[in-house]
Amino acid sequence: MTEAAELPPVPEQARDVFGDRYADAVRYAELLAEAGVKRGLIGPREVPRLWERHLLNCAVLSEVVPEGVTVCDVGSGAGLPGIPLALVRDDLKITLLEPLLRRTNFLTEVVELLGLDHVTVVRGRAEEVMGKLPPVHVVTARAVAPLDRLATWGVPLLRPYGEMLALKGDTAEEELKAAATALSKLGAVETSILHVGDGVVDPMSTVVRVEVGESPGGVRFAAKRAKAARTGRTRRRRG
Protein backbone atom coordinates (compact mmCIF):
# COMPACT_ATOMS: atom_id res chain seq x y z
CA MET A 1 0.00 0.00 0.00
CA THR A 2 1.37 3.40 -0.92
CA GLU A 3 1.57 6.35 1.45
CA ALA A 4 -1.07 8.19 -0.59
CA ALA A 5 -3.55 5.31 -0.13
CA GLU A 6 -3.14 5.58 3.63
CA LEU A 7 -4.67 9.03 3.69
CA PRO A 8 -7.87 8.91 5.74
CA PRO A 9 -11.17 10.25 4.42
CA VAL A 10 -11.31 14.04 4.42
CA PRO A 11 -13.15 15.24 7.56
CA GLU A 12 -16.36 17.17 7.00
CA GLN A 13 -14.92 20.07 8.99
CA ALA A 14 -12.31 20.60 6.27
CA ARG A 15 -14.94 21.92 3.85
CA ASP A 16 -16.01 24.60 6.30
CA VAL A 17 -12.47 25.52 7.36
CA PHE A 18 -10.88 25.74 3.89
CA GLY A 19 -13.94 26.93 1.95
CA ASP A 20 -13.04 27.84 -1.64
CA ARG A 21 -9.54 26.42 -1.05
CA TYR A 22 -10.85 22.98 -0.07
CA ALA A 23 -9.53 21.30 -3.23
CA ASP A 24 -6.12 22.89 -2.69
CA ALA A 25 -6.07 21.64 0.90
CA VAL A 26 -6.78 18.11 -0.34
CA ARG A 27 -3.97 18.42 -2.89
CA TYR A 28 -1.59 19.64 -0.18
CA ALA A 29 -2.49 16.65 2.00
CA GLU A 30 -1.73 14.36 -0.95
CA LEU A 31 1.62 16.07 -1.53
CA LEU A 32 2.55 15.63 2.13
CA ALA A 33 1.56 11.96 2.01
CA GLU A 34 3.50 11.31 -1.20
CA ALA A 35 6.46 13.63 -1.78
CA GLY A 36 6.55 14.72 1.85
CA VAL A 37 7.11 11.18 3.06
CA LYS A 38 9.50 10.20 0.25
CA ARG A 39 11.68 13.25 0.93
CA GLY A 40 11.69 12.68 4.68
CA LEU A 41 9.72 15.84 5.51
CA ILE A 42 7.14 13.95 7.55
CA GLY A 43 7.11 10.42 8.92
CA PRO A 44 4.89 7.76 7.32
CA ARG A 45 3.11 7.26 10.63
CA GLU A 46 1.80 10.82 10.38
CA VAL A 47 -0.13 10.14 7.16
CA PRO A 48 -3.24 8.60 8.80
CA ARG A 49 -3.60 11.67 11.03
CA LEU A 50 -2.60 14.36 8.54
CA TRP A 51 -5.94 16.12 8.65
CA GLU A 52 -6.68 16.30 12.36
CA ARG A 53 -3.17 16.61 13.73
CA HIS A 54 -1.60 18.72 11.01
CA LEU A 55 -3.77 20.54 8.46
CA LEU A 56 -6.80 21.37 10.59
CA ASN A 57 -4.71 21.80 13.74
CA CYS A 58 -2.69 24.47 11.93
CA ALA A 59 -5.52 26.08 9.96
CA VAL A 60 -7.44 27.03 13.11
CA LEU A 61 -4.50 29.25 14.10
CA SER A 62 -6.18 31.75 11.77
CA GLU A 63 -8.70 32.45 14.55
CA VAL A 64 -6.12 34.52 16.42
CA VAL A 65 -4.18 36.11 13.55
CA PRO A 66 -5.26 39.73 12.89
CA GLU A 67 -6.53 40.77 9.46
CA GLY A 68 -4.21 41.99 6.73
CA VAL A 69 -0.92 41.52 8.57
CA THR A 70 2.51 40.22 7.59
CA VAL A 71 3.49 36.80 8.92
CA CYS A 72 6.77 34.90 9.12
CA ASP A 73 6.51 31.14 9.70
CA VAL A 74 9.80 30.25 11.37
CA GLY A 75 11.21 26.77 10.73
CA SER A 76 8.36 26.10 8.34
CA GLY A 77 9.51 22.56 7.50
CA ALA A 78 6.88 20.99 5.27
CA GLY A 79 4.79 24.17 5.52
CA LEU A 80 3.12 23.78 8.90
CA PRO A 81 1.45 25.97 10.01
CA GLY A 82 2.24 28.44 7.20
CA ILE A 83 0.55 26.75 4.24
CA PRO A 84 -2.75 25.79 5.97
CA LEU A 85 -2.85 29.36 7.30
CA ALA A 86 -2.28 30.71 3.78
CA LEU A 87 -5.06 28.52 2.38
CA VAL A 88 -7.65 29.98 4.74
CA ARG A 89 -6.34 33.57 4.84
CA ASP A 90 -5.53 35.24 1.52
CA ASP A 91 -5.49 38.61 3.30
CA LEU A 92 -2.12 37.76 4.87
CA LYS A 93 1.38 38.22 3.42
CA ILE A 94 3.23 35.11 4.57
CA THR A 95 6.93 34.26 4.48
CA LEU A 96 7.88 30.60 4.95
CA LEU A 97 11.35 30.65 6.53
CA GLU A 98 13.27 27.38 6.42
CA PRO A 99 17.04 26.69 6.40
CA LEU A 100 17.13 23.27 4.67
CA LEU A 101 17.25 23.17 0.87
CA ARG A 102 15.17 20.01 0.40
CA ARG A 103 12.42 21.59 2.46
CA THR A 104 12.49 24.96 0.70
CA ASN A 105 12.38 23.13 -2.64
CA PHE A 106 9.24 21.31 -1.51
CA LEU A 107 7.69 24.52 -0.18
CA THR A 108 8.38 26.37 -3.42
CA GLU A 109 6.76 23.56 -5.42
CA VAL A 110 3.67 23.60 -3.20
CA VAL A 111 3.31 27.39 -3.31
CA GLU A 112 3.53 27.40 -7.11
CA LEU A 113 1.25 24.40 -7.59
CA LEU A 114 -1.47 25.81 -5.32
CA GLY A 115 -1.15 29.35 -6.67
CA LEU A 116 -0.41 30.92 -3.29
CA ASP A 117 0.60 34.34 -4.62
CA HIS A 118 0.60 35.85 -1.13
CA VAL A 119 3.28 33.42 0.09
CA THR A 120 7.08 33.75 -0.26
CA VAL A 121 9.62 31.02 0.51
CA VAL A 122 12.95 32.13 2.00
CA ARG A 123 15.84 29.81 2.75
CA GLY A 124 17.73 30.74 5.89
CA ARG A 125 17.83 30.72 9.65
CA ALA A 126 15.98 33.30 11.68
CA GLU A 127 19.19 34.70 13.14
CA GLU A 128 20.64 35.10 9.64
CA VAL A 129 17.74 37.01 8.07
CA MET A 130 17.23 39.57 10.83
CA GLY A 131 17.70 42.98 9.26
CA LYS A 132 17.45 41.48 5.76
CA LEU A 133 13.73 40.74 5.86
CA PRO A 134 11.25 43.50 6.79
CA PRO A 135 9.99 43.09 10.38
CA VAL A 136 6.58 41.37 10.52
CA HIS A 137 3.43 41.77 12.58
CA VAL A 138 3.22 38.07 13.48
CA VAL A 139 5.71 35.22 13.80
CA THR A 140 4.29 31.69 13.77
CA ALA A 141 5.96 28.41 14.65
CA ARG A 142 5.09 24.81 15.40
CA ALA A 143 7.18 22.10 17.06
CA VAL A 144 10.41 23.91 16.24
CA ALA A 145 12.07 24.17 19.67
CA PRO A 146 11.38 24.85 23.37
CA LEU A 147 9.71 28.21 23.85
CA ASP A 148 12.72 30.06 25.28
CA ARG A 149 14.91 29.10 22.33
CA LEU A 150 12.11 29.62 19.82
CA ALA A 151 11.53 33.13 21.14
CA THR A 152 15.22 33.95 20.68
CA TRP A 153 14.81 33.18 16.98
CA GLY A 154 11.32 34.51 16.37
CA VAL A 155 10.82 37.61 18.51
CA PRO A 156 13.64 39.66 16.90
CA LEU A 157 11.86 39.29 13.53
CA LEU A 158 8.83 41.17 14.84
CA ARG A 159 8.01 44.80 14.31
CA PRO A 160 7.26 46.88 17.43
CA TYR A 161 4.09 45.71 19.20
CA GLY A 162 3.99 42.50 17.15
CA GLU A 163 3.32 39.02 18.47
CA MET A 164 4.63 35.49 18.24
CA LEU A 165 2.06 32.68 18.02
CA ALA A 166 3.54 29.27 18.78
CA LEU A 167 1.49 26.09 18.44
CA LYS A 168 2.32 23.95 21.45
CA GLY A 169 1.02 20.82 23.14
CA ASP A 170 0.35 19.81 26.71
CA THR A 171 3.61 21.37 27.92
CA ALA A 172 2.60 24.92 26.93
CA GLU A 173 2.06 26.18 30.47
CA GLU A 174 5.29 24.65 31.76
CA GLU A 175 7.28 26.06 28.84
CA LEU A 176 5.80 29.50 29.34
CA LYS A 177 6.76 29.52 33.01
CA ALA A 178 10.27 28.25 32.26
CA ALA A 179 10.76 30.89 29.57
CA ALA A 180 9.48 33.86 31.59
CA THR A 181 12.90 35.41 32.25
CA ALA A 182 14.11 34.90 28.69
CA LEU A 183 10.91 36.39 27.27
CA SER A 184 11.22 39.46 29.47
CA LYS A 185 14.77 40.06 28.23
CA LEU A 186 13.52 39.74 24.66
CA GLY A 187 11.07 42.59 25.14
CA ALA A 188 7.90 40.61 25.80
CA VAL A 189 5.28 42.66 27.60
CA GLU A 190 2.45 40.11 27.80
CA THR A 191 2.03 36.36 27.39
CA SER A 192 -1.03 34.13 27.27
CA ILE A 193 -2.19 30.64 26.37
CA LEU A 194 -5.06 30.38 23.88
CA HIS A 195 -7.17 27.44 22.73
CA VAL A 196 -8.51 27.50 19.16
CA GLY A 197 -10.44 25.20 16.88
CA ASP A 198 -13.54 24.55 18.98
CA GLY A 199 -15.75 22.16 17.01
CA VAL A 200 -13.00 21.56 14.44
CA VAL A 201 -10.23 19.69 16.26
CA ASP A 202 -10.36 17.66 19.46
CA PRO A 203 -8.47 18.42 21.55
CA MET A 204 -8.39 22.07 20.60
CA SER A 205 -5.09 23.53 19.39
CA THR A 206 -3.01 25.23 22.06
CA VAL A 207 -1.30 28.50 21.14
CA VAL A 208 1.23 30.42 23.20
CA ARG A 209 0.98 34.13 22.43
CA VAL A 210 3.95 36.37 23.18
CA GLU A 211 3.31 40.09 22.66
CA VAL A 212 6.22 42.50 22.47
CA GLY A 213 6.62 46.21 23.13
CA GLU A 214 8.53 48.82 21.19
CA SER A 215 11.83 46.90 21.19
CA PRO A 216 11.34 43.31 19.89
CA GLY A 217 14.29 41.21 20.97
CA GLY A 218 15.36 43.64 23.69
CA VAL A 219 18.56 45.66 23.90
CA ARG A 220 20.82 42.92 22.53
CA PHE A 221 18.90 42.52 19.31
CA ALA A 222 18.28 46.22 18.86
CA ALA A 223 22.03 46.61 18.34
CA LYS A 224 22.18 43.65 15.94
CA ARG A 225 19.20 44.99 14.00
CA ALA A 226 20.79 48.42 13.68
CA LYS A 227 24.05 46.88 12.46
CA ALA A 228 22.22 44.76 9.88
CA ALA A 229 20.33 47.83 8.65
CA ARG A 230 23.58 49.80 8.25
CA THR A 231 25.15 46.91 6.33
CA GLY A 232 22.12 46.77 4.05
CA ARG A 233 22.28 50.50 3.32
CA THR A 234 25.98 50.23 2.52
CA ARG A 235 25.37 47.38 0.09
CA ARG A 236 22.59 49.28 -1.65
CA ARG A 237 24.80 52.35 -2.10
CA ARG A 238 27.58 50.22 -3.56
CA GLY A 239 25.11 48.53 -5.84
Side-chain angles (χ1 to χ4, degrees):
M1 184 178 290
T2 65
E3 289 85 356
E6 295 171 11
L7 265 174
V10 182
E12 280 301 313
Q13 301 95 311
R15 292 188 179 274
D16 294 330
V17 171
F18 290 102
D20 293 342
R21 286 283 194 170
Y22 169 77
D24 290 326
V26 172
R27 184 65 184 122
Y28 177 49
E30 292 170 349
L31 289 167
L32 286 173
E34 296 164 1
V37 171
K38 289 176 183 175
R39 299 187 196 182
L41 304 182
I42 66 166
R45 292 182 180 179
E46 296 303 311
V47 173
R49 48 189 183 181
L50 266 179
W51 283 103
E52 284 82 0
R53 183 166 178 171
H54 299 289
L55 274 76
L56 290 173
N57 181 274
C58 290
V60 296
L61 181 63
S62 65
E63 295 177 17
V64 290
V65 177
E67 288 188 22
V69 299
T70 52
V71 178
C72 183
D73 188 30
V74 173
S76 195
L80 302 164
I83 288 178
L85 183 61
L87 286 170
V88 297
R89 294 287 299 277
D90 60 7
D91 60 301
L92 305 174
K93 295 290 185 183
I94 299 177
T95 298
L96 306 179
L97 182 62
E98 169 56 48
L100 295 184
L101 180 60
R102 62 187 171 89
R103 292 176 180 170
T104 54
N105 285 343
F106 176 78
L107 293 173
T108 300
E109 292 166 17
V110 171
V111 167
E112 291 176 355
L113 183 65
L114 302 185
L116 298 174
D117 299 333
H118 56 305
V119 178
T120 303
V121 178
V122 174
R123 185 185 176 196
R125 300 183 185 278
E127 57 269 35
E128 297 169 347
V129 302
M130 187 180 63
K132 299 176 183 177
L133 293 180
V136 296
H137 297 91
V138 176
V139 162
T140 58
R142 177 177 186 255
V144 174
L147 187 61
D148 54 352
R149 202 185 327 157
L150 175 59
T152 302
W153 300 334
V155 168
L157 301 178
L158 292 169
R159 58 186 292 167
Y161 306 104
E163 59 186 325
M164 183 176 75
L165 299 171
L167 280 162
K168 288 288 183 179
D170 297 336
T171 62
E173 194 167 340
E174 296 172 22
E175 286 193 49
L176 190 52
K177 288 179 180 178
T181 300
L183 292 174
S184 179
K185 290 180 180 178
L186 287 168
V189 295
E190 189 170 340
T191 61
S192 53
I193 295 178
L194 313 172
H195 297 282
V196 295
D198 186 21
V200 178
V201 288
D202 185 19
M204 295 169 65
S205 300
T206 301
V207 181
V208 175
R209 171 187 270 162
V210 177
E211 300 172 70
V212 300
E214 61 182 19
S215 184
V219 176
R220 174 188 167 198
F221 286 96
K224 291 183 70 173
R225 193 179 293 109
K227 181 179 179 181
R230 287 195 300 271
T231 302
R233 287 195 296 269
T234 300
R235 287 175 179 166
R236 285 193 294 272
R237 284 199 297 269
R238 289 175 179 171

